[in-house]
Amino acid sequence: MEDACVLIVESNILVRQPLAEYLRECGYRVAEAANVTEARQLLREKKITVDIVLADAAADQEGCFALASWIRTALPGVEMIMAGTVAKMAGDAGELCEEGPAETTPYDHKQVLDRIKRAIAARDRQKR
Amino acid sequence: MVPQRSQDPAPAIAHVLVVEDEVVVRALLAEELRGAGLTVVEAANADEAWAYLQAGGQAHLMFSDVRMPGSMDGMELRRRVREDFPAMKIVMTSGNIGPAVPGALDGFLPKPYSFNKAVEVALRLLGAEA
């Protein structure tokens, strides 16, 4: 898929910015949100077309799950990958996100990239 | 398939730090600046911007809103940047105050501003051609 856009939801700029830069280097468009509220606003306003959301649930687990639920209902074409360190979260995330379980943090950039590729490929297969 | 990068990308050498708490404004401005070949770092507030700079993050130019939530506003960020990073160009943006912002500034953009205008200002301050 050309020109896919990844929305990173991450509260720590020192984590968000290097990951965003890495994904841009890999050819993706990347939007950034510092929290779930910002992510919802970006997605709702649709001025940027987002294909996949990568959200770290560590800072706001409840908000992140609510975001995943909302995306599943309101934006069925958008994939979501959840990240976090909470063990229980992995199973829960698997139910809400297409490609569960959760990605672990701190991020392994290459692993995140592979995950994004797989999620987008899976979505494109479903579309056919 | 991973999307391909532009065939003829502009050199992304200059780093622009965009400090803006309105996420849509921040994201769209950042996209425009990237489209002009600049490397853009997005900060959701002054605290994030300061954390980025304190961690050794690069920035040649900073676009900062004045009113933002957090422990400091844009004016305090501007003061700290002037003190610790005197070479960095600073453009303040605001919908609430006029261009008579106290202290030295390289530019002021009253809100709402056009993204084209912001790009033009950025390229001029960075010494590139618009």
Side-chain angles (χ1 to χ4, degrees), chain A residues 30-88:
Chain A
V30 180
E32 299 177 42
N35 52 49
V36 166
T37 307
E38 283 198 352
R40 269 184 190 252
Q41 205 178 331
L42 266 180
L43 290 164
R44 208 182 296 120
E45 294 212 12
K46 295 184 175 173
K47 290 192 173 156
I48 292 175
T49 307
V50 172
D51 298 282
I52 189 157
V53 178
L54 172 67
D56 182 5
D60 177 11
Q61 194 173 328
E62 203 175 313
C64 228
F65 277 92
L67 176 67
S69 282
W70 176 70
I71 286 174
R72 175 163 276 200
T73 317
L75 304 166
V78 177
E79 301 296 315
M80 180 150 175
I81 296 172
M82 212 179 284
T85 49
V86 184
K88 179 187 171 296

Side-chain angles (χ1 to χ4, degrees), chain B residues 44-68:
Chain B
N45 52 50
D47 292 297
E48 272 206 349
W50 190 241
Y52 169 77
L53 293 170
Q54 288 298 101
Q58 262 197 306
H60 302 94
L61 166 67
M62 177 176 82
F63 269 95
S64 177
D65 193 7
V66 173
R67 287 194 185 175
M68 285 177 289

Side-chain angles (χ1 to χ4, degrees), chain A residues 6 8 18 21 36 49-50 58-59 63 68 70 75 93 99 101 121 124 127:
Chain A
V6 180
I8 300 174
E21 231 18 71
V36 166
T49 307
V50 172
W70 176 70
L75 304 166
E99 292 275 313
D124 289 350
K127 274 184 184 171

Side-chain angles (χ1 to χ4, degrees), chain A residues 22-34:
Chain A
Y22 172 76
L23 293 174
R24 286 187 189 106
E25 285 292 318
C26 293
Y28 290 92
R29 287 188 302 117
V30 180
E32 299 177 42

Side-chain angles (χ1 to χ4, degrees), chain A residues 75-122:
Chain A
L75 304 166
V78 177
E79 301 296 315
M80 180 150 175
I81 296 172
M82 212 179 284
T85 49
V86 184
K88 179 187 171 296
M89 209 190 77
D92 297 342
E95 290 168 18
L96 279 171
C97 304
E98 300 301 322
E99 292 275 313
E103 207 45 58
T104 55
T105 52
Y107 291 113
D108 174 330
H109 288 181
K110 176 69 170 62
Q111 197 170 301
V112 171
L113 175 65
D114 291 343
R115 190 69 177 274
I116 287 169
K117 283 182 191 171
R118 285 205 303 275
I120 290 179

Side-chain angles (χ1 to χ4, degrees), chain A residues 3 11 16 24 26 38 117, chain B residues 2-3 26 34 42 48:
Chain A
D3 213 20
S11 58
R16 187 178 72 237
R24 286 187 189 106
C26 293
E38 283 198 352
K117 283 182 191 171
Chain B
V2 177
R26 186 175 77 233
R34 287 188 189 105
E42 299 179 43
E48 272 206 349

Side-chain angles (χ1 to χ4, degrees), chain B residues 1 6 12 30 38 45 58 64 68 78 81 90 92 111 126:
Chain B
M1 184 178 128
S6 162
L38 301 166
N45 52 50
Q58 262 197 306
S64 177
M68 285 177 289
R78 179 206 63 82
V81 167
I90 300 175
M92 301 300 288
K111 282 185 174 179
L126 291 166

